[in-house]
Amino acid sequence: MMGSLRLLVFLLLVKTGGAAHAAEPGPVGRIEDYADILRPTGERVDGLIVNGRVARFQDIRAWFTGDTDRYGHAVLGDRLEAETLVVEKAGERFEFSLGPDAVFEDLEPRIADLDGDGEPEVIAIKSYLDDGAAVAVFGFRAGSFGPLAESEAIGSAFRWLNPAGVADFDGDGNVEIAVVRTPHIGGILQHYGWDGGPNLTLERSVRGYSTHRIGSTLLALSLSLDWNGDGVTDIVLPRQDHTTLAVVTWTGEAFKELASFPNGSRIATRLAHIRPRDGNGPYLIYGLEDGTVRAIEIPMP
């Protein structure tokens, strides 16, 4: 299927002022034809929370376990959340469990080297029963595993956020964590920085985007890549109504949409970045609620 993608793609691009604007991206098939790409089953481990997934990076695996109903937000499809983060490094297992005032309102940890020291950190959504969600960073220090840093919580119970990417989003050489705060009500794209201390620092925000729908177990509605080849990582994610896909960048002064792609139906699968074996592309593909898969050719610098 991937090798024949070039024959199926129909996409009209008009380039204006360095930004690409598109008519409705063309269909390339049905979701079931791309299920292994758009809806991968993932790895299974004992104790994995319902609908959870295992993250893997280098010699590290991470997942959530320990179902608890003490929060009851049910934003991820049921009233069960996780209380324990499990990390396995080079075959050795580490666990960190939250106290009774919080849960991991999350399905899959994210693993990335945030401070460039060669030792990856683990990023999770930690929700306080009284104050809502925060971004939490865990990692290894002096041979032990535990919490390293955290953002300020939203401030109200049953208010959630969803990480959207981990990369250098402003070109300063440092890695930021991108999230969408309250994706169901107002959808605010935010960048957080980390200086190695106990606090993540909010650097910038813009409204109008969403990476989640209430009750869905799909969290991967975003993709980080350098869309225009300027050396700065951009974020591809839906606008608030989930029917238009946007490519958003930080210019150094403001957020800017480099491209926007309207669709006739809401986005219903993860976003996937693929390069067919025939050498064409690369392409961004995703599925819609109407069952079709759309493809966008990613510009090459």
Side-chain angles (χ1 to χ4, degrees):
M1 177 62 67
M2 291 175 62
S4 62
L5 187 60
R6 175 176 56 88
L7 302 177
L8 298 172
V9 173
F10 171 80
L11 182 65
L12 175 63
L13 284 176
V14 179
K15 296 184 183 294
T16 306
H21 303 272
E24 183 176 328
V28 298
R30 305 290 298 178
I31 290 177
E32 54 266 28
D33 299 327
Y34 295 84
D36 58 333
I37 301 171
L38 298 177
R39 289 178 172 167
T41 56
E43 183 179 358
R44 307 300 299 178
V45 294
D46 291 340
L48 185 67
I49 61 169
V50 176
N51 298 314
R53 288 178 285 274
V54 177
R56 182 184 288 273
F57 181 78
Q58 297 176 359
D59 63 344
I60 295 177
R61 296 193 307 167
W63 63 92
F64 296 110
T65 188
D67 292 349
T68 175
D69 62 359
R70 64 175 174 252
Y71 193 35
H73 189 191
V75 73
L76 299 179
D78 58 40
R79 295 179 62 85
L80 295 176
E81 309 302 342
E83 62 180 6
T84 300
L85 171 64
V86 180
V87 173
E88 190 178 80
K89 181 180 181 184
E92 187 175 1
R93 181 175 171 132
F94 303 83
E95 295 187 5
F96 182 84
S97 296
L98 298 175
D101 65 333
V103 298
F104 289 112
E105 197 171 11
D106 206 345
L107 296 175
E108 180 179 357
R110 300 130 202 94
I111 309 174
D113 184 1
L114 292 176
D115 55 5
D117 66 352
E119 183 76 80
E121 284 75 39
V122 180
I123 302 161
I125 307 169
K126 177 182 178 181
S127 289
Y128 290 92
L129 276 58
D130 294 331
D131 293 323
V135 187
V137 176
F138 298 81
F140 295 91
R141 293 293 184 270
S144 63
F145 178 80
L148 299 179
E150 193 170 307
S151 72
E152 185 177 0
I154 290 175
S156 299
F158 301 153
R159 291 293 181 265
W160 188 72
L161 56 80
N162 187 18
V166 181
D168 181 2
F169 293 113
D170 56 13
D172 67 352
N174 298 313
V175 174
E176 290 83 39
I177 302 171
V179 309
V180 175
R181 171 175 165 153
T182 58
H184 319 118
I185 46 173
I188 307 170
L189 174 62
Q190 300 180 318
H191 290 170
Y192 281 92
W194 185 41
D195 63 3
N199 300 313
L200 297 177
T201 302
L202 177 61
E203 296 184 348
R204 57 192 70 95
S205 304
V206 64
R207 290 182 177 272
Y209 300 97
S210 178
T211 51
H212 187 257
R213 289 163 57 188
I214 292 177
S216 173
T217 60
L218 175 64
L219 303 188
L221 273 177
S222 58
L223 200 64
S224 300
L225 50 82
D226 183 0
W227 184 266
N228 57 356
D230 65 353
V232 175
T233 303
D234 314 306
I235 302 177
V236 185
L237 76 173
R239 289 184 187 159
Q240 188 68 50
D241 65 1
H242 283 250
T243 64
T244 297
L245 201 61
V247 183
V248 181
T249 193
W250 175 253
T251 67
E253 297 179 351
F255 282 99
K256 175 184 178 181
E257 286 193 5
L258 297 175
S260 60
F261 303 96
N263 300 273
S265 181
R266 291 191 294 186
I267 298 165
T269 72
R270 68 187 290 261
L271 309 184
H273 179 195
I274 67 170
R275 182 184 293 275
R277 294 173 183 172
D278 59 11
N280 288 278
Y283 296 97
L284 169 65
I285 69 169
Y286 52 95
L288 302 177
E289 276 188 342
D290 64 10
T292 63
V293 173
R294 303 300 169 101
I296 301 169
E297 186 168 11
I298 299 171
M300 296 294 292

